[in-house]
């Protein structure tokens, strides 16, 4: 398929590589052109604008930071809408508000352009290994049209429901995952307070019912005091801002998530937003 890709960061670059390796005709556009150099050297085409990318693509993927970024790419000057032909598909794999996804889809529909919100979980490792979990919101027919492309990037692809539903699932994912990171941080801090060996505590917990992927990875980071980012904490802070907004909008009580959001606020205030979210341990240490 003729595929476009925008968002060549820690997640997007390996995802785009997988599409190229699968034999698709890949084109890229990057706000910082140097981030596309390796893919262009590997055979991808470089486009001068999002509109030019859309004009040569049946499907365009985006994975950027905020909903405003997605809207600008879609409808800003030289945006995707100026190049898309009717029937083209925009698959957004960013983490944005469900309402924003619905608004973009509605604007596209007026021009016959299809939309899928398909945020991902799995982090940089999942992107490199093409083992991402992909949560799709949109028409089932649209999902099936791009499923071969998604299968090049992910291992688990679930159709959650209509437009915006993928973003709801991603909010749920972030709520569970980051709350678990906070729980790991609190466990490690309690062990510290008692002078107990953190590595031994983690090993013991991994052998019991507390075992989890979060404890395995983030607990090890905390034991080793390795705060070099897998995913930068500022992105989890942004995601929690979105889900707390959704909770307020829907009148849904999220007491644990609300507490974790405050800890992420404290992390940002400490200046650790570009470090790993394992830095939630450092927030507790500073509070002590």
């Amino acid at each position: 398929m003729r595929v476009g890709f925008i968002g060549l960061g820690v997640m997007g670059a390996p995802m785009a590589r997988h599409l190229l390796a699968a034999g698709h005709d890949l084109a890229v556009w990057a706000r910082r052109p140097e981030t596309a150099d390796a893919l262009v050297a590997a055979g991808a085409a470089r486009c001068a604008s999002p509109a030019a990318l859309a004009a040569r693509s049946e499907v365009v993927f985006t994975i950027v930071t905020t909903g405003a970024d997605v809207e600008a790419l879609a409808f800003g000057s030289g945006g995707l809408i100026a190049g898309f032909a009717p029937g083209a598909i925009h698959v957004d794999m960013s983490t944005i508000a469900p309402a924003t996804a619905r608004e973009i889809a509605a604007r596209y529909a007026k021009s016959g352009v299809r939309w899928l919100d398909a945020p991902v979980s799995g982090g940089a490792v999942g992107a490199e290994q093409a083992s991402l979990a992909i949560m799709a919101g949109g028409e089932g027919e649209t999902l099936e049209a791009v499923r071969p492309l998604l299968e090049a990037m992910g291992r688990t692809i679930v159709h959650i429901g209509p437009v915006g539903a993928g973003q709801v699932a991603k909010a749920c994912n972030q709520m569970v995952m980051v709350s678990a990171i906070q729980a790991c941080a609190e466990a490690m801090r309690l062990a510290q307070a008692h002078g107990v060996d953190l590595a031994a505590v983690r090993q013991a917990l991994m052998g019991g019912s507390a075992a989890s992927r979060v404890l395995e990875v983030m607990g090890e980071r905390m034991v080793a005091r390795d705060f070099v980012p897998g995913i930068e904490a500022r992105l989890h802070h942004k995601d929690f801002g979105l889900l707390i907004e959704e909770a307020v909008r829907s009148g849904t009580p999220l007491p644990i998530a609300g507490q974790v959001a405050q800890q992420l606020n404290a992390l940002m205030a400490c200046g650790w937003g570009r470090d790993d979210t394992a830095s939630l341990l450092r927030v507790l240490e500073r509070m002590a």
Side-chain angles (χ1 to χ4, degrees):
M1 296 181 73
R2 299 189 309 279
V3 183
F5 206 103
I6 298 174
L8 303 175
V10 172
M11 299 284 290
M15 293 163 71
R17 284 201 305 271
H18 295 314
L19 292 169
L20 192 60
H24 298 288
D25 180 4
L26 181 71
V28 294
W29 177 83
R31 182 173 54 83
R32 292 180 293 116
E34 66 273 12
T35 63
D37 289 348
L39 282 162
V40 171
R46 190 193 303 269
C47 292
S49 67
L53 183 83
R56 73 176 305 284
S57 301
E58 300 167 80
V59 180
V60 170
F61 290 92
T62 54
I63 181 165
V64 292
T65 303
T66 69
D69 294 327
V70 181
E71 289 181 299
L73 287 170
F75 305 115
S77 177
L80 295 167
I81 191 65
F84 273 140
I89 301 172
H90 181 172
V91 181
D92 181 50
M93 308 186 88
S94 317
T95 299
I96 64 175
T100 302
R102 296 182 191 113
E103 290 165 6
I104 294 172
R107 291 182 67 180
Y108 270 141
K110 296 175 182 178
S111 300
V113 176
R114 294 182 284 171
W115 165 273
L116 203 69
D117 45 281
V120 301
S121 179
V125 173
E128 289 286 350
Q129 297 178 349
S131 61
L132 294 168
I134 301 172
M135 300 156 250
E139 294 293 334
E141 182 180 344
T142 303
L143 172 59
E144 293 310 310
V146 301
R147 184 176 290 274
L149 301 173
L150 297 177
E151 288 175 342
M153 298 181 282
R155 185 175 298 159
T156 303
I157 302 164
V158 179
H159 186 202
I160 306 298
V163 168
Q167 294 298 345
V168 173
K170 180 60 183 289
C172 294
N173 179 87
Q174 300 303 79
M175 186 161 42
V176 171
M177 181 185 66
V178 183
S179 296
I181 297 172
Q182 175 65 23
C184 288
E186 293 183 19
M188 294 297 106
R189 181 70 195 107
L190 182 62
Q192 281 179 339
H194 284 271
V196 175
D197 183 274
L198 300 190
V201 170
R202 175 184 168 278
Q203 181 181 3
L205 296 180
M206 283 300 298
S209 57
S212 68
R213 179 64 175 163
V214 169
L215 177 61
E216 178 187 0
V217 175
M218 304 304 283
E220 176 59 30
R221 283 181 169 273
M222 293 174 192
V223 169
R225 303 195 68 78
D226 175 11
F227 303 115
V228 175
I231 295 295
E232 293 181 354
R234 66 185 179 89
L235 300 177
H236 287 150
H237 179 259
K238 180 265 296 184
D239 295 347
F240 259 67
L242 292 173
L243 70 89
I244 294 299
E245 286 178 10
E246 291 301 316
V248 171
R249 182 179 291 119
S250 62
T252 304
L254 301 177
I256 293 175
Q259 291 294 319
V260 174
Q262 291 302 314
Q263 293 300 108
L264 289 168
N265 285 343
L267 185 156
M268 296 296 291
C270 290
W272 296 325
R274 293 193 177 273
D275 293 341
D276 194 87
T277 309
S279 293
L280 284 168
L281 173 60
R282 291 194 283 178
V283 173
L284 296 171
E285 292 169 342
R286 179 163 290 189
M287 290 168 65

